Amino acid sequence: PNPFNPSTTITYSLPEEAAVLLEIYSASGQKIALVDRGRKNAGIHTAVWNAHGKSSGLYLYRLQAGSFSQTRKVILMK
């Protein structure tokens, strides 16, 4: 869900096996968490980010899988 408190599940789908990197960034661009990393098979995957101890506000997650890259917003509301 978006907004979330205190954790959120990020779901992504891979059409083929790929090296995955899923990171969380603050609104100012500082990397604050590594949520998922590694070689993943084709299919649907989920990763959970627990933002316990983080301030309310806007965060960005960046998913890189092979040559694909996508950035999305998530809002933490306490």
Side-chain angles (χ1 to χ4, degrees), residues 12-16 41-45:
Y12 59 94
S13 178
L14 299 176
E16 59 188 32
N41 293 326
I44 297 172
H45 301 272

Side-chain angles (χ1 to χ4, degrees), residues 42-58:
I44 297 172
H45 301 272
T46 59
V48 176
W49 177 45
N50 186 344
H52 181 75
K54 301 295 181 204
S55 301
S56 293
L58 175 71

